[in-house]
Amino acid sequence: MSTDHDKAKAFVGRLLQNPSLRDFSELQREEQIIQFLHVNAAQLGPTLSTPQFFAGKNWNQIFSILLNALYELVNDELLPKLEELIRSKLDLAFLRHMRQTRVDDELVQKQLIAFATDVLKKPDARRNFTGAYSALVFGIADRYLTVAFDQKKYVHFELTKVQRLRMNKEETRNFVRLTLLLRPIVNLGMSTAATQQERSTGMVQSQFAEKVMHTAKSEMKYIPEQALKSAVDASLSFNENRFVEATSRLAAIFAARSRSYQPNMRVDRGADSPDKSWISVSRRNYKYYGFDIKMLDELYKIAAENNW
Amino acid sequence: MGTRTRNVLENIVLAAIILVLLQTLFEDLAVVLDWSIGVRRVLLIFGFFFDLFFTVEFVVRSYEAWRYGRLGNYFWYERGWIDLLASIPLLLLNSGPAVLAILAGGVSVVGVAGMLNVLKVVKAIRIARVLRLLRVLKIFRRIKNAESVMAQRHVAMISATTVSVFVLVLLAATMVEAFVSAPSLDARYQQHSFDMIELISSDQMRRAPALRTSLLKMDSAVLLVRDSGSVVFSRHPDSYYLRHFGPGDYGYIEARGVELFVDLRPINQEQSATNIRYFVVIIAIVLIYMFVYSPHFAMTVSDPIHIMRRGMSEKAYNLEVIVPGQYRHDDVYELSKLYNEVFLPMKDRSSGDETEVSALKMDDLKDMFE
């Protein structure tokens, strides 16, 4: 006789295999399923509480069982992919520009894998990581940075002259990738009592960011302070903190964009492209989300030129 | 009636519409190119069966609509009036009489007195055949770039209006011509025939048969002359008449024992050539509406509305409407600008932390719960 957990895994596994979710990243699929369970609770509750499924359990209990099964199944897929991403797709050579002493990449990679494993234990952090992870999976940051470096306009100026990164294009792309990977660092210390705006924009207050930075420095010794600061500041509003690094501002935009990114999305005739539409809306809401409007302007032009 | 059966029937009707258009074109082409009477007979009989088919279709559709209390809706809003105009009048006034004439095997124009008026009425009826083209509007439903019901309705409306006005004005003009004496090729032809019978039936000509034959030879409209029952002149051998002449291709006048058969094919050919011109003009109009105006309407009216409707009804839909510079002052695009610049940003802010709407549907689990 199968246990509730097995049944839940079978049920959730079936949802994960649904063809309509095929193109999404693992965390996007997870969000889709959680949303599906929330929206259809009224219909699913009575059916799933029958003897065939979870006899005698109320919806909250069933939801909890399903959620744990979902996290487990998603982690089974996600953790190996994250490890592969960290070990083979994230070139950490750029870190040499940020510290005096040499640190073995293996130690950094292990710390990053441990961080990712920790992040995935917290539901809020998982949610915050969805956009950043999808940006890494779909290569959103890479494609924009490639064009921005070629065009050498505002984004390039901010990265090379203001943030003073002495890195080439590939190294800068890896720095932004690392920033995206570490972005949910703020969630590791965040209380569940975050304000509505903090939850909806993913932004935090600067005092809180300082505390996170302080803790992170002591706990993630192999990651240079500059990289940690870039990741923590990626959750700060640029409108309230004008010193936020260019890599952080870019990571904030790419993470927000990628959260709702749908690869192979069918665009209706007469509608603008998905990226262009998203950036256009974000330009109008830049204050609310704390984005850098000039960066959005440049990314908008890049999206328009490339029909992204 | 099941959806599948209905689709099969609709496809049969669609095929019939395309075939009847070809039949209409070929029927006139056969007259212009002087194809053999056998081929023209086959085309006429096909035309009759198509008219019968569309008449039955109209009656069935009307009955169905009446049964469900929506006859007015069918007639006025679902273009039932086109179904009517392109079926019963054609059956009763065009293909029906033509097939009856074939079955009777006789001439369609009898007697001197009725000849002129009958020819004019026949001419008017032949113009009515162009009404068949209105049925092509049904194909609008199948046009790929006009999926929007509104786009279909607007384009069908404007096409139906243009085509029906064109055809009805032609019909009215021909009817007026039939009852108002005016100089025309037909009238001249008829007058010439009257003059000819007067001349060849005169005592003077009857007494000079060689002169009469020479005169008849010179007039290409004269086919055959009989005097007191005996053939005194024939332009072609009998086999030629059998092969090339059917009802309506010749006229018959009799005076003082002399019978004159005149060739009406030049008039018919002229009329058929005119019909083909009308046919081509109407086809061109309909095709232009279909392939030029319809996409334009879809792109500048129904597409932006479709995008805005999705944006307003679907939580996860956030694509902006492209506002073309040349149409930016159109009402639709003014509204689109508000949608892009006000509605979407507001919707984005108000959606907050909510995840996008799930791509999953309850139906996806149907078999699990069964």
Side-chain angles (χ1 to χ4, degrees):
Chain A
M1 200 172 114
S2 58
T3 64
D4 283 351
H5 186 64
D6 292 335
K7 287 179 192 168
K9 276 177 84 171
F11 180 79
V12 169
R14 173 71 188 280
L15 291 177
L16 279 168
Q17 297 304 317
N18 193 290
S20 59
L21 303 182
R22 193 179 47 218
D23 292 333
F24 290 108
S25 71
E26 291 77 10
L27 286 172
Q28 281 179 317
R29 276 192 276 157
E30 180 182 296
E31 282 204 356
Q32 293 274 327
I33 291 171
I34 293 171
Q35 182 66 9
F36 172 76
L37 296 176
H38 279 309
V39 170
N40 297 292
Q43 282 170 276
L44 289 169
T47 312
L48 292 178
S49 59
T50 56
Q52 194 191 341
F53 294 98
F54 309 101
K57 295 217 161 34
N58 64 35
W59 173 246
N60 287 338
Q61 292 168 315
I62 294 169
F63 182 75
S64 174
I65 296 167
L66 292 176
L67 201 59
N68 286 332
L70 178 64
Y71 288 160
E72 194 180 319
L73 286 176
V74 170
N75 284 352
D76 287 347
E77 274 187 64
L78 186 59
L79 283 169
K81 280 195 178 175
L82 268 172
E83 193 171 333
E84 192 205 339
L85 196 147
I86 290 165
R87 288 192 189 282
S88 57
K89 291 184 182 164
L90 184 64
D91 185 351
L92 297 169
F94 71 92
L95 292 177
R96 73 174 187 274
H97 298 289
M98 300 178 180
R99 58 188 165 208
Q100 305 298 319
T101 53
R102 180 171 161 69
V103 176
D104 188 359
D105 278 356
E106 178 66 21
L107 292 173
V108 181
Q109 285 166 350
K110 275 188 180 168
Q111 195 152 58
L112 288 173
I113 292 164
F115 166 79
T117 312
D118 271 357
V119 160
L120 295 177
K121 286 177 186 159
K122 289 191 73 173
D124 273 357
R126 290 178 84 96
R127 199 164 52 230
N128 195 13
F129 193 37
T130 302
Y133 175 71
S134 302
L136 290 167
V137 169
F138 299 127
I140 307 276
D142 292 352
R143 68 185 191 195
Y144 278 97
L145 281 173
T146 302
V147 183
F149 256 77
D150 293 343
Q151 291 185 344
K152 292 189 169 53
K153 290 182 181 171
Y154 178 76
V155 169
H156 182 263
F157 184 84
E158 287 290 306
L159 287 166
T160 56
K161 305 293 182 210
V162 181
Q163 194 172 346
R164 294 183 182 179
L165 296 179
R166 301 283 178 261
M167 300 177 189
N168 62 28
K169 182 164 66 180
E170 192 49 39
E171 286 173 330
T172 309
R173 279 171 24 164
N174 276 301
F175 187 13
V176 174
R177 283 185 202 146
L178 181 66
T179 305
L180 283 164
L181 187 67
L182 291 172
R183 189 171 180 259
I185 200 167
V186 292
N187 292 94
L188 292 180
M190 189 188 265
S191 74
T192 49
T195 65
Q196 179 58 38
Q197 182 157 357
E198 280 172 355
R199 285 175 70 86
S200 65
T201 61
M203 296 295 170
V204 297
Q205 296 297 314
S206 55
Q207 295 90 333
F208 179 77
E210 279 168 25
K211 279 185 207 165
V212 171
M213 189 63 207
H214 183 72
T215 315
K217 270 198 291 187
S218 59
E219 288 183 7
M220 302 181 81
K221 288 178 185 151
Y222 299 124
I223 316 283
E225 186 180 336
Q226 194 182 343
L228 286 174
K229 190 160 183 341
S230 175
V232 173
D233 288 358
S235 297
L236 283 179
S237 166
F238 179 64
N239 296 295
E240 292 161 20
N241 306 277
R242 307 302 286 189
F243 54 82
V244 169
E245 299 86 341
T247 45
S248 310
R249 281 175 266 158
L250 284 169
I253 293 170
F254 293 139
R257 165 64 193 115
S258 305
R259 191 152 184 236
S260 59
Y261 184 77
Q262 289 177 49
N264 309 320
M265 182 186 183
R266 186 182 161 273
V267 178
D268 286 315
R269 195 179 49 209
D272 241 331
S273 59
D275 272 16
K276 202 172 156 214
S277 292
W278 185 88
I279 298 171
S280 176
V281 169
S282 296
R283 284 162 82 200
R284 295 194 173 85
N285 284 339
Y286 79 97
K287 284 183 183 166
Y288 182 78
Y289 290 110
F291 294 146
D292 178 353
I293 182 68
K294 287 184 183 170
M295 268 187 185
L296 286 172
D297 287 344
E298 187 173 332
L299 298 179
Y300 179 79
K301 280 181 195 146
I302 292 172
E305 283 161 11
N306 293 282
N307 199 30
W308 287 341
Chain B
M1 194 187 296
T3 312
R4 199 171 161 183
T5 316
R6 186 176 284 274
N7 282 341
V8 169
L9 290 176
E10 287 289 352
N11 284 330
I12 291 172
V13 170
L14 191 66
I17 291 169
I18 293 164
L19 289 174
V20 83
L21 289 177
L22 292 174
Q23 183 273 334
T24 304
L25 178 66
F26 279 109
E27 202 179 319
D28 279 318
L29 212 55
V31 174
V32 172
L33 300 177
D34 198 18
W35 291 356
S36 75
I37 189 67
V39 175
R40 285 160 54 202
R41 267 193 193 128
V42 169
L43 286 167
L44 271 173
I45 291 167
F46 269 120
F48 170 76
F49 281 111
F50 277 128
D51 288 343
L52 192 64
F53 173 83
F54 289 126
T55 300
V56 171
E57 186 221 356
F58 171 71
V59 171
V60 170
R61 280 187 193 277
S62 300
Y63 173 72
E64 278 288 303
W66 171 78
R67 218 155 59 99
Y68 294 102
R70 42 186 293 281
L71 185 60
N73 192 57
Y74 163 65
F75 196 80
W76 297 114
Y77 299 109
E78 292 173 16
R79 302 195 291 279
W81 59 275
I82 292 178
D83 293 352
L84 170 65
L85 286 175
S87 58
I88 297 173
L90 290 166
L91 181 72
L92 296 180
L93 303 173
N94 180 244
S95 58
V99 168
L100 279 177
I102 289 172
L103 292 176
V107 294
S108 61
V109 180
V110 182
V112 178
M115 189 171 172
L116 183 65
N117 280 340
V118 171
L119 273 176
K120 284 181 174 177
V121 172
V122 167
K123 184 179 164 186
I125 293 163
R126 285 170 70 83
I127 287 171
R129 297 163 75 218
V130 187
L131 284 170
R132 285 171 174 169
L133 292 175
L134 290 175
R135 300 202 54 121
V136 84
L137 298 180
K138 282 184 179 290
I139 297 170
F140 270 116
R141 282 183 229 151
R142 313 291 171 104
I143 299 298
K144 252 286 188 238
N145 56 12
E147 306 91 343
S148 148
V149 174
M150 182 176 71
Q152 284 175 19
R153 193 183 69 244
H154 278 266
V155 176
M157 180 70 185
I158 193 164
S159 304
T161 307
T162 310
V163 174
S164 53
V165 164
F166 184 84
V167 171
L168 292 174
V169 167
L170 280 177
L171 253 177
T174 317
M175 287 291 184
V176 168
E177 280 170 24
F179 297 105
V180 175
S181 293
S184 68
L185 180 67
D186 294 6
R188 278 209 306 277
Y189 206 86
Q190 300 311 312
Q191 190 54 53
H192 176 73
S193 301
F194 285 129
D195 294 344
M196 180 57 79
I197 191 79
E198 280 302 312
L199 183 64
I200 61 175
S201 63
S202 65
D203 291 342
Q204 197 182 357
M205 276 290 171
R206 281 176 141 168
R207 282 196 295 272
L211 177 64
R212 185 166 70 172
T213 305
S214 301
L215 185 71
L216 291 170
K217 268 185 186 169
M218 284 163 61
D219 189 344
S220 60
V222 176
L223 288 174
L224 189 139
V225 176
R226 274 201 298 243
D227 193 345
S228 308
S230 307
V231 174
V232 294
F233 173 81
S234 178
R235 185 167 300 278
H236 306 289
D238 285 354
S239 60
Y240 184 86
Y241 296 127
L242 283 172
R243 203 166 60 246
H244 290 278
F245 285 82
D249 287 337
Y250 59 95
Y252 170 82
I253 313 173
E254 190 269 335
R256 295 187 287 276
V258 176
E259 298 164 278
L260 171 66
F261 291 82
V262 290
D263 191 351
L264 295 182
R265 289 179 308 172
I267 293 178
N268 292 342
Q269 282 166 345
E270 181 60 30
Q271 186 56 53
S272 286
T274 306
N275 284 348
I276 290 171
R277 278 182 220 116
Y278 294 152
F279 184 91
V280 171
V281 166
I282 291 170
I283 283 280
I285 289 172
V286 170
L287 289 180
I288 289 289
Y289 282 145
M290 228 186 243
F291 295 109
V292 178
Y293 181 69
S294 176
H296 173 78
F297 185 90
M299 279 190 284
T300 55
V301 181
S302 52
D303 284 354
I305 290 174
H306 172 72
I307 293 162
M308 288 189 278
R309 187 190 58 73
R310 284 196 69 184
M312 288 177 187
S313 60
E314 295 173 30
K315 235 174 178 177
Y317 192 89
N318 65 351
L319 298 187
E320 290 194 331
V321 176
I322 296 173
V323 179
Q326 69 270 39
Y327 304 125
R328 67 187 182 281
H329 297 304
D330 286 11
D331 291 349
V332 170
Y333 286 115
E334 292 281 1
L335 181 65
S336 301
K337 267 190 270 178
L338 285 174
Y339 166 82
N340 290 347
E341 294 168 12
V342 180
F343 177 78
L344 282 181
M346 201 163 65
K347 176 181 157 185
D348 181 56
R349 287 196 302 274
S350 65
S351 66
D353 192 37
E354 283 177 45
T355 318
E356 303 297 336
V357 170
S358 180
L360 294 167
K361 301 278 170 287
M362 276 302 282
D363 284 349
D364 296 333
L365 296 175
K366 218 180 233 173
D367 58 326
M368 269 185 108
F369 291 153
E370 274 170 5

